[in-house]
Structures are given as C-alpha cells and as structure tokens.
Amino acid sequence: QVQLVESGGGLVQAGGSLGLSCAASGRTFSSYYMGWFRQAPGKEREFVAAITSSGLSTKYVDSVKGRFTISRDNAKNTVYLQMNSLKPSDTAVYYCTAGANMAVLTAKISPYWGQGTQVTVSS
C-alpha cells in the first residue's frame, strides 16, 4: 500500500515557475515508478511525466519537454515536478501516482493516486 500527498500548487503568472512535491508513505517507495498526471476542467486526465524507481530514466509528454523536470529522492520518499516557463494551458489539477512499471503508470491503471493539487497559470 502506498499513500500519496501532493503539495506546492498555486497561482502563477505565465512564464513563471512552480515546484510540486508528492510525499509517499510506506517502506517500498523506492521500488515504485512514479508519475504526474493533470486534469483540466472538462478534459481527460493526461500523462505529464514519469520516473523510474531508480530515478535514472524519465519520460515526458511532448507539451512539457524542456519546461518540466521530474525527480525523486528515495531517502525522503518524495517525488518532485519542477515546472518552468508555465503557460495558461498548464492550468489543471496535478495528480501524483505510483505504479509497478511505466506501462501501469501511463495506462492510468495504478490504484495509487494522490488527492491532487491545483495549478493555475494566469495570462
């Protein structure tokens, strides 16, 4: 079992930066792949970024490549999403998820999700 709690959302102007954190409970955090998804009003929840259990490999949706960075600290049971050059189209609720592998994460079939944190980017 893994429990996830996101933090760090807020309101920022276009071009600004925000950093999100996701703290995980449990002793097995380091064995999980971790990911970030987002959901804008009226839209499907979409994949944003993921990182392998070791932290050595990452994956991003094309729209955030070069602007967002996912990282993790297994000693602190925490995964991060640093968001730079934010755009109004990045406005959404951001969710953290944990899964056994990249396929589980990107298919949104993991049972482990946080409650979400709101990110609003004003133009």
Side-chain angles (χ1 to χ4, degrees):
Q1 291 283 345
V2 179
Q3 292 185 327
L4 305 170
V5 179
E6 302 97 336
S7 61
L11 174 64
V12 64
Q13 288 189 331
S17 298
L18 273 178
L20 305 183
S21 299
C22 174
S25 64
R27 300 179 183 178
T28 58
F29 174 78
S30 61
S31 68
Y32 285 97
Y33 283 51
M34 298 298 296
W36 287 95
F37 282 71
R38 65 187 179 187
Q39 188 166 18
K43 294 190 176 182
E44 296 275 332
R45 189 173 298 189
E46 68 165 350
F47 169 79
V48 175
I51 188 166
T52 57
S53 54
S54 66
L56 294 179
S57 183
T58 57
K59 181 182 176 75
Y60 298 93
V61 67
D62 286 347
S63 60
V64 308
K65 284 181 181 176
R67 301 189 298 122
F68 289 13
T69 302
I70 187 171
S71 62
R72 67 190 296 161
D73 186 335
N74 286 343
K76 295 183 178 180
N77 280 15
T78 302
V79 62
Y80 307 95
L81 185 68
Q82 179 62 38
M83 305 183 293
N84 299 328
S85 302
L86 282 160
K87 305 174 181 179
S89 56
D90 295 317
T91 295
V93 177
Y94 283 70
Y95 296 91
C96 173
T97 183
N101 53 57
M102 200 65 77
V104 168
L105 286 181
T106 54
K108 294 183 285 187
I109 57 176
S110 169
Y112 307 122
W113 292 86
Q115 82 289 350
T117 186
Q118 176 71 46
V119 172
T120 303
V121 184
S122 63
S123 57

